C-alpha cells in the first residue's frame, strides 16, 4: 500500500508564498514521475507541475515563473514552492505519483489534497 500525504497549505494574502510538501510512504521500490494538480470549486482538476525522477520539470503556463517543483528522492518527497500567489490560485492541491511496487508493477497514487486559499 502506498500513501501520499500533502502538507503546507493554508491562507495567504495575494503576493505571498507557500511551500507544499508531499511525502510518500509504504512498501514500494521507487517513485518515477511526480506531479502537483489543483482543483478549484466548480472546476476540473488541472495539472500544475510535474517532475521526473531525474529532475526534469514542466509547468502549466499560469505557474511558470511563480511556482517551482522539486523533489528529494532520498525522502520520497516532492515540493511545490509557490510565490507571488494570486486569488485565482485558490484550490485544493493534490499530489500524484507513479510508484513502482516491489513486484515491478506501477501504480498511480494520489494524496487527499491540501487547501490553498489566497485572499486579503
Amino acid at each position: 500500500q502506498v500513501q501520499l500525504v500533502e502538507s503546507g497549505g493554508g491562507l495567504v494574502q495575494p503576493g505571498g508564498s507557500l511551500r507544499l510538501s508531499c511525502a510518500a510512504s509504504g512498501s514500494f521500490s521507487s517513485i518515477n514521475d511526480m506531479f502537483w494538480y489543483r482543483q478549484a470549486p466548480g472546476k476540473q482538476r488541472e495539472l500544475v507541475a510535474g517532475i521526473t525522477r531525474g529532475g526534469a520539470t514542466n509547468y502549466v503556463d499560469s505557474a511558470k515563473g511563480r511556482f517551482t517543483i522539486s523533489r528529494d528522492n532520498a525522502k520520497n518527497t516532492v515540493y511545490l514552492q509557490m510565490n507571488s500567489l494570486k486569488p485565482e490560485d485558490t484550490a485544493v492541491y493534490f499530489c500524484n505519483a507513479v510508484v513502482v511496487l516491489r513486484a515491478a508493477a506501477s501504480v498511480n497514487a494520489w494524496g487527499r489534497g491540501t487547501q490553498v486559499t489566497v485572499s486579503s
Side-chain angles (χ1 to χ4, degrees), residues 49-102:
I51 186 168
T52 67
R53 183 169 180 83
T57 60
N58 67 284
Y59 300 90
V60 67
D61 285 347
S62 60
K64 290 178 180 177
R66 300 189 299 127
F67 293 3
T68 302
I69 188 171
S70 61
R71 64 190 287 172
D72 184 332
N73 291 332
K75 295 182 178 179
N76 296 314
T77 299
V78 63
Y79 306 96
L80 186 67
Q81 176 68 44
M82 304 186 294
N83 300 326
S84 302
L85 282 162
K86 305 175 181 179
E88 51 264 42
D89 294 318
T90 295
V92 178
Y93 284 70
F94 297 90
C95 175
N96 172 250
V98 179
V99 181
V100 181
L101 303 178
R102 299 198 182 280

Side-chain angles (χ1 to χ4, degrees), residues 9-26:
L11 173 64
V12 63
Q13 293 187 340
S17 298
L18 282 175
R19 188 189 193 212
L20 306 184
S21 300
C22 171
S25 62

Side-chain angles (χ1 to χ4, degrees), residues 35-51:
F35 304 92
W36 284 99
Y37 284 78
R38 66 185 178 189
Q39 187 166 19
K43 294 188 177 181
Q44 289 189 332
R45 190 173 297 189
E46 69 166 347
L47 175 64
V48 177
I51 186 168

